[in-house]
């Protein structure tokens, strides 16, 4: 054996997949928390407070949210830089790939292209979203978010983000499974068919969930538009005398 | 009881072929259409031979065993790579488009230099049993025993015929010329599995532990889906990726 | 013209060529291999069934050894083989397979314990011994007393060729692919290399070498229905013939394989029958036991093929729109066995017939399969007439197959002959005779001759179509020089081939595309193939007996009295319309196994007076040594070890037998 192995390529590949996996897990969790609005404004309010650390420290620290946003941003940056290596790097490569994809009409090849496109879009969409969260971590809540979405017209950004991120995440998880998964060769065809089915199922589920939440925020935002900027008070506080 | 399949009315096939003779300075890549009468049990081998003998004797293509064993006749059939010799025309529409396998040097028309590519791959990945004592073997003595299942597993991976379909089906290989392709990665797993090969994982890492090797694969799975021999390429590449990622 | 110098030029990148190349290279000589196609695509890759070597590991092979392999091979050859060569071969085959095992071939192995097999249409359970666990196993093949065909599923040739090619790559042996040898350069009985055409550019080159080895495989494509690859056009044998000096041996000995799928002629392996498959007729009646009660479906190939044609002739064929055929039934082997051990067969049925052999019958009919004849060599693989020319593999008539080759003996021959010839070549190069000695004028002269020949075709104003001539030749051979031969039809064939040969001087081309020009390729090959075809037809016409695969309906008996001799064909004058045939006697008085009944097929033959005399001698020598071990006894009958390279002379170790 000559000298030491260059572990760089292995690390890069692991890191690309790991960052992708973490992001997917995050986004899926994020979806459930975000969609707490479907259970009512109070539910969402509680979730927000939870993330600001209130249950732990007794009072909310919005800076925590900025912290999470920063971490996710770093993850995305790492992931994007690593994934960018796989993008067609020249016009020739782009042309070759396009011709190839067009002729083959091969689903998994096309899905990769979808991932490249959505990934590229995410770079901007996710960054924009994260930037807002990072800069205004305290500005999250049933009314604050709804106002941003409706009155601030952020629903356009979120609708795009929703589609991109779930296509990207769903396909990404399927790819991760095929890329690393210890699937026994004997049943690999069946396993792959099931994974593919699961992928579409998951994508559909999250798109529905996300659309429902976004619609809810939009309704709330529209109703709340006249008072845009006012913060939400949870039900138990609303009931307290002297607070109206 | 089976019968040799019959078809009622014969179709007229329109076979469109991407033609180009790089040896001829006047030749430009172009599509040329040939019409032939379909026959029973006609394969693309039979159809192309007939075109050459009756219509255009300059048409270039490669067939050797014409039985799906030697891997010579890989070409793009209606957009996808496959072995022409065992493609029955009755499984294709009347309009058939044939093109040479991309990613390989073009010799002429449908003939490409897969041999040169594969030899390069073999030299680069050293696809042979590496063992200290090959030169001083005692061939009078009993052969070393091997578990029967292991022998079968090795053969399972050895079934590759180096036809090049996996390379032509691979988006990565299309973009990056130095990518070793599923054919190369599969052969590495074949030798890694073989106890007669004394190489360590670190040695294999030196061969495929980079972007032109296993870490370049983007898991587009064209190889797995287009392999004429149905090799378990996806699981083999995943396996190799795990082993290589764990190598230090 | 570019000239490339090397010590050894091997023409042919199949198993034989590459093994010979590795042998010579290991002895320190520079080697270049030429091949029409990438080496791994050579037709050796198509061998499915197995390689014979008497390892004797599995239960069905227990007790096997070189002696039994020898006897099977000689009987299979119908006593046409050179028995010394058969001894050299059977002795070296176990070494060859063990070498390949170490090099990486994943031979199927014996698994201890019980398993189910199919014998004679019945399911049986057998139990393999512990001691053999993990050793190379083998399957039953036609014409053998033991299970001797070692195999890798049904991709034996593929696995062997890939391992061999990879070892050649490891040894850094260059293979010049898509290069076709067009002529041998020779003068005064010494061969100096070859004029070669680049099949990609059309350019001519000269390869000048101290030793030249022909390993170009068979020439099945002179027939219309053949299991052979379409590149098996016999150009190696043809260019040897065209020297006018070297001879071709036993060209009339052509093997027909019983189970080519109908009508395409693609082979399904003998392993199908070896593993228990049956032949059925139009009534789904198993007919082979009616003709061959002892060996049934597993008599030698010549016998089974003839019986099949006979049965069709008697009106029991299955009628189809392409003509008549019979059925091969492997359904009884079960889905598991077919899916694991006969997968290639399953794929072929699926892709070319659209049927599933697990549930359906396979339409089969005998098809041309193997050429026992080829470039005549001595036991060391050297042409007796042309110094510096060697041959190995199917292209050679080393003569271990005589008039019929046993299944599995061919890939074994390629490797064994490669091992032996590789050494012979190295010895030759090391000797003074092997020094390079030729004038560049000679090279230019041969290059110019070939260039002219090509130009004549390319610029000729002839009207004949090369494709048409090839088709007519193939039809003639299949119709008139096939399984059943007969004087009058052979005469017609010879006449038709002569006419085609004349016409072939008048070929005109429609295409003048620069580069490979496939039409030009067909044109120059058909001229040469016609000569080979004529050697086959004319040799068959002259041989007025039936021996092995050569069956004359008008001379149905084997005639040891007149025909214990090998046909040698040469073509001294380029303009001649027939080959010159001479005959080389086979000396019964030197045979270890004097002629007799094969154990299957026809029982009556015309005996040679020497046979009785020699048999008595053999019995006496054997009787006198009945206490000695088998090697001593054998040595007393017909010594052969001195003919082998030294490192191949030792005994082979076996289970229960020390080396
Ligand atoms: C379908 C089929 C199945 C078979 N199954 C078995 C089996 O199970 N067991 C068995 O023992 N035998 C079997 N045989 C027979 C056996 O495979 C062959 O006899 C053997 O492989 C021949 O090997 P070879 O090295 O002599 O030639 P090949 O493997 O045919 O190689 C010939 C080489 O010569 C090259 N060549 C030819 N002409 C030229 C030229 N003019 N210039 C340069 N290069 C040239 C070719 O490119 C090729 O590389 C089978 C044969 C067939 C057809
Ligand atoms: C800045 C935005 C992003 C870009 C540019 C981007 C780009 C890409 C690209 C091009 C790939 C394919 C890489 C390959 O084939 O090897 C990929 C894979 C992946 N992405 Fe992203 N992505 C982004 C954000 C995200 C986000 C937010 C998530 C999670 C929700 C995510 C999850 C994944 C996963 C799981 C994979 C598969 C990992 C792998 O193949 O190793 N990505 N990404």
């Amino acid at each position: 054996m000559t000298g030491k192995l260059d572990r760089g390529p292995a690390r890069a590949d692991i890191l690309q997949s790991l960052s992708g996996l973490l992001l997917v897990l995050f986004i899926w969790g994020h979806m459930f928390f975000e969609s707490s609005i479907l259970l009512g404004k109070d539910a969402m309010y509680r979730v927000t407070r939870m993330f600001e650390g209130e249950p732990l420290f007794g009072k909310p620290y919005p800076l925590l949210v900025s912290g999470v946003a920063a971490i996710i941003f770093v993850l995305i940056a790492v992931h994007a830089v690593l994934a960018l290596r796989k993008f067609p790097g020249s016009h020739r490569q782009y042309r070759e790939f396009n011709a190839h994809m067009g002729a083959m009409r091969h689903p998994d090849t096309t899905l990769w292209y979808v991932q490249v496109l959505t990934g590229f879009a995410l770079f901007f969409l996710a960054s924009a979203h994260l930037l807002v969260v990072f800069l205004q971590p305290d500005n999250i809540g049933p009314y604050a978010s709804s106002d941003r979405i409706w009155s601030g017209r952020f629903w356009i950004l979120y609708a795009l983000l929703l589609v991109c991120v779930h296509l990207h995440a769903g396909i990404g998880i399927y790819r991760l499974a095929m890329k690393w998964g210890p699937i026994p060769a004997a049943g690999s065809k069946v396993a792959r068919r099931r994974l593919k089915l699961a992928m579409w199922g998951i994508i559909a589920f999250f798109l529905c969930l996300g659309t429902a939440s976004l619609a809810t925020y939009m309704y709330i935002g529209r109703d709340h538009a006249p008072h845009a900027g006012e913060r939400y008070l949870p039900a138990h506080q609303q009931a307290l005398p002297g607070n109206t | 009881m089976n019968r040799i399949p019959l078809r009622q009315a014969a179709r007229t096939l329109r076979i469109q072929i991407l033609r180009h003779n790089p040896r001829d300075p006047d030749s430009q890549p172009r599509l040329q259409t040939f019409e032939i009468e379909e026959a029973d049990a006609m394969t693309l081998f039979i159809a192309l031979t007939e075109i050459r003998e009756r219509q255009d004797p300059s048409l270039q293509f490669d067939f050797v065993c014409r039985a799906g064993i030697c891997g010579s006749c890989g070409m793009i059939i209606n957009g996808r790579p496959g072995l022409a010799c065992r493609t029955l025309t009755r499984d294709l529409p009347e309009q058939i488009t044939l093109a040479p396998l991309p990613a390989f040097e073009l010799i002429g028309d449908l003939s490409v230099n897969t041999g040169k590519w594969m030899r390069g791959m073999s030299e680069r990945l050293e696809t042979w049993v590496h063992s200290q004592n090959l030169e001083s073997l005692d061939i009078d003595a009993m052969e070393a025993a091997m578990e029967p299942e292991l022998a079968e597993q090795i053969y399972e991976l050895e079934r590759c015929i180096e036809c090049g379909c996996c390379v032509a089906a691979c988006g990565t290989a299309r973009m990056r010329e130095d990518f070793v392709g599923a054919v190369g990665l599969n052969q590495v797993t074949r030798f890694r599995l073989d106890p007669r090969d004394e190489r360590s994982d670190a040695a294999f890492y030196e061969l495929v532990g980079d972007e032109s090797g296993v870490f370049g694969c983007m898991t587009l799975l064209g190889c797995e889906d287009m392999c004429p021999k149905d090799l378990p390429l996806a699981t083999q590449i995943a396996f190799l990726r795990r082993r290589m990622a764990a190598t230090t | 013209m570019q000239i490339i110098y090397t010590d050894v030029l091997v023409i042919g990148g199949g198993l034989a060529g590459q093994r010979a190349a590795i042998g010579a290279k290991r002895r320190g000589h520079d080697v270049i291999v030429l091949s029409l196609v990438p080496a791994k695509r050579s037709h050796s890759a198509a061998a499915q069934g197995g390689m014979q070597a008497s390892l004797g590991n599995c239960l069905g092979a227990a007790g096997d050894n070189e002696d039994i392999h020898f006897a099977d091979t000689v009987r299979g050859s119908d006593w046409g083989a050179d028995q010394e060569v058969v001894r050299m071969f059977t002795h070296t085959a176990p070494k060859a397979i063990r070498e390949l095992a170490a090099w990486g071939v994943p031979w199927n192995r014996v698994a201890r314990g019980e398993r189910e097999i199919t014998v004679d249409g019945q399911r049986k359970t057998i139990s393999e011994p512990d001691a053999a666990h993990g050793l190379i196993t083998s399957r039953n093949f036609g014409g053998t007393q033991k299970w001797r065909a070692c195999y890798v599923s049904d991709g034996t040739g593929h696995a062997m060729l890939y391992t061999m090619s990879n070892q050649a790559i490891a040894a850094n042996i260059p293979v010049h692919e898509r290069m076709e040898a067009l002529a041998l350069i020779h003068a005064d009985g010494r061969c100096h290399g070859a004029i070669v055409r680049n099949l990609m550019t059309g350019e001519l080159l000269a390869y000048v070498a101290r030793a030249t080895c022909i390993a170009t495989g068979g020439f099945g494509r002179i027939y219309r229905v053949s299991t052979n690859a379409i590149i098996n056009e016999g150009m190696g044998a043809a260019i040897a013939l065209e020297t006018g000096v070297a001879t071709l041996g036993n060209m009339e000995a052509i093997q027909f394989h019983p189970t080519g799928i109908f009508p395409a002629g693609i082979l399904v392996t003998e392993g199908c029958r070896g593993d228990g498959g049956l032949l059925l007729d139009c009534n789904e009646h198993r007919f082979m036991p009616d003709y061959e009660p002892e060996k049934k479906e597993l008599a030698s190939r010549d016998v089974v093929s003839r019986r099949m044609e006979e049965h069709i002739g008697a009106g029991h064929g299955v009628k189809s729109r392409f003509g008549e055929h019979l059925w091969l039934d492997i359904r009884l082997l079960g889905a598991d066995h077919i899916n694991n051990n006969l997968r290639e067969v399953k794929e072929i049925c699926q892709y070319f017939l659209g049927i599933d052999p697990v549930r359906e019958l396979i339409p089969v009919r005998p098809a041309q399969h193997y050429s026992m004849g080829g470039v005549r060599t001595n036991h060391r693989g050297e042409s007796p007439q042309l110094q510096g020319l060697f041959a190995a593999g199917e292209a050679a008539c080393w003569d271990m197959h005589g008039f019929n080759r046993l299944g599995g003996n061919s890939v074994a021959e390629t490797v064994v002959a490669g091992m032996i010839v590789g050494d012979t070549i190295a010895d030759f190069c090391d000797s003074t005779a092997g020094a390079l000695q030729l004038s560049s004028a000679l090279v230019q002269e041969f290059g110019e001759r070939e260039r002219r020949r090509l130009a004549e075709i390319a610029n000729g104003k002839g009207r004949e179509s090369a494709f048409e001539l090839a088709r007519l030749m193939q039809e003639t051979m299949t119709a008139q020089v096939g399984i059943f031969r007969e004087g009058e039809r052979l005469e017609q064939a010879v006449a038709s081939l002569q006419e085609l040969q004349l016409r072939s001087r008048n070929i005109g081309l429609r295409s003048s595309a620069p580069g490979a020009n496939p039409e030009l390729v067909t044109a120059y090959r058909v001229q040469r193939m016609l000569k080979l075809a004529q050697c086959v037809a004319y040799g068959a016409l002259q041989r007025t007996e039936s021996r092995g695969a050569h069956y004359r309906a008008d001379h149905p008996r084997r005639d040891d009295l007149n025909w214990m001799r090998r046909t040698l064909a040469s073509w001294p004058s380029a303009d001649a319309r027939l080959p010159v045939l001479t005959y080389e006697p086979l000396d019964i008085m030197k045979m270890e196994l004097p002629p007799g009944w094969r154990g299957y097929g026809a029982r009556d033959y015309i005996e040679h007076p020497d046979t009785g005399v020699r048999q008595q001698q053999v019995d006496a020598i054997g009787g006198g040594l009945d206490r000695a071990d088998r090697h001593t006894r054998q040595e007393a009958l017909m010594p052969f070890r001195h003919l082998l390279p030294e490192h191949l002379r030792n005994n082979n170790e076996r289970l229960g037998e020390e080396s």
Side-chain angles (χ1 to χ4, degrees), chain C residues 45-81:
Chain C
Q48 302 168 352
M51 158 170 176
Q52 292 221 30
S54 56
L55 298 180
N57 289 328
C58 71
L59 200 65
D64 199 9
N65 60 32
E66 298 86 352
D67 300 345
I68 307 178
H69 190 185
F70 168 80
D72 284 344
T73 303
V74 172
R75 291 202 175 96
S77 80
D78 220 353
W79 278 271

Side-chain angles (χ1 to χ4, degrees), chain C residues 12-13 15-16 35-36 42-44 47 49-50 179 181 216 267 370 394 408 410-411:
Chain C
L15 280 170
S35 176
L36 299 175
S42 300
H43 203 51
S44 292
M179 291 285 185
T216 51
L267 182 81
Y370 187 81
E394 189 172 345
S410 175
V411 288

Side-chain angles (χ1 to χ4, degrees), chain A residues 13 16-17 20-21 23-24 27 76 79-80 83-84 86-87 112 115-116 119-120 122-123 165 168-169 172-173 175-176 179-180, chain B residues 218:
Chain A
D13 203 41
Q16 178 192 324
S17 293
L21 178 67
L23 286 168
V24 171
I27 201 71
I76 288 190
H79 176 77
L84 224 67
K86 311 279 176 174
F87 275 44
W112 182 79
Q115 239 192 340
V116 169
F120 189 67
L122 280 177
F123 192 75
V165 92
H168 192 95
I173 277 291
R175 193 179 309 290
L176 273 182
K179 193 170 164 180
W180 297 95
Chain B
M218 309 194 297

Side-chain angles (χ1 to χ4, degrees), chain B residues 69, chain C residues 11-17 34-39 41-52 141 156 161 179-182 215-218 227-229 231-232 234-236 239 266-267 269 301 369-370 392-395 405-414:
Chain B
I69 294 168
Chain C
I11 307 176
L15 280 170
L34 301 181
S35 176
L36 299 175
V37 296
R41 312 219 190 284
S42 300
H43 203 51
S44 292
Q48 302 168 352
M51 158 170 176
Q52 292 221 30
F141 252 38
T156 311
L161 184 62
M179 291 285 185
E180 172 169 6
L182 280 190
T216 51
T227 64
N228 284 14
I231 59 163
N232 283 16
M235 284 308 106
I239 61 178
I266 295 170
L267 182 81
T269 173
R301 287 176 180 174
H369 181 57
Y370 187 81
E394 189 172 345
R405 152 175 92 84
L406 292 184
N409 257 357
S410 175
V411 288
E413 176 195 16
T414 60

Side-chain angles (χ1 to χ4, degrees), chain B residues 46-62:
Chain B
I46 297 172
L48 285 169
T49 308
E50 192 176 311
I51 292 175
R52 172 143 95 193
E53 292 185 358
R54 305 245 172 93
Q55 304 189 32
D56 189 336
S58 69
L59 185 63
Q60 295 187 56
F61 47 75
D62 294 322

Side-chain angles (χ1 to χ4, degrees), chain A residues 104-127:
Chain A
M104 286 253 297
R105 291 161 288 117
H106 174 247
D108 284 24
T109 301
T110 311
L111 284 183
W112 182 79
Y113 195 62
V114 171
Q115 239 192 340
V116 169
L117 291 182
T118 52
F120 189 67
L122 280 177
F123 192 75
F124 302 99
L125 299 173
S127 305

Side-chain angles (χ1 to χ4, degrees), chain A residues 5-7 10 13 85-86 92-93 96 100 104-106 108 112 175 179-183 189 192, chain B residues 78 80 168-169 174-176 205-206 209 211 215 218-221 224-225 235 238 241-242 245 247:
Chain A
L5 294 178
D6 174 12
R7 294 265 307 140
D13 203 41
R85 300 171 308 158
K86 311 279 176 174
R92 188 200 68 83
Q93 288 191 351
E96 281 283 319
H100 172 69
M104 286 253 297
R105 291 161 288 117
H106 174 247
D108 284 24
W112 182 79
R175 193 179 309 290
K179 193 170 164 180
W180 297 95
I183 302 167
K189 297 258 184 299
R192 180 163 161 217
Chain B
N78 285 345
R80 293 180 162 202
R174 290 293 292 274
M175 290 200 289
R176 286 161 224 272
Y205 189 98
E206 296 254 341
E211 288 296 309
F215 299 125
M218 309 194 297
T219 322
L220 308 184
L221 302 178
E224 162 104 356
D225 293 334
T235 53
R241 194 191 297 272
R242 294 197 301 275
T247 305

Side-chain angles (χ1 to χ4, degrees), chain B residues 35-110:
Chain B
E35 286 193 359
I36 67 165
E37 192 87 343
E38 185 170 32
D40 281 312
M42 184 180 245
T43 58
L44 285 180
F45 160 65
I46 297 172
L48 285 169
T49 308
E50 192 176 311
I51 292 175
R52 172 143 95 193
E53 292 185 358
R54 305 245 172 93
Q55 304 189 32
D56 189 336
S58 69
L59 185 63
Q60 295 187 56
F61 47 75
D62 294 322
F63 288 98
V64 177
C65 77
R66 60 82 178 85
I69 294 168
C70 74
S72 300
C73 62
M75 58 181 73
I76 301 291
I77 304 162
N78 285 345
R80 293 180 162 202
L83 296 182
C85 75
R86 66 174 205 192
T87 301
L88 290 163
T89 54
R90 69 159 179 256
D91 297 335
L92 297 173
E94 260 161 57
Q95 178 83 31
I96 301 169
T97 305
L98 303 178
L101 285 188
F104 299 97
E105 179 194 330
L106 179 70
I107 292 173
D109 301 335
L110 300 173

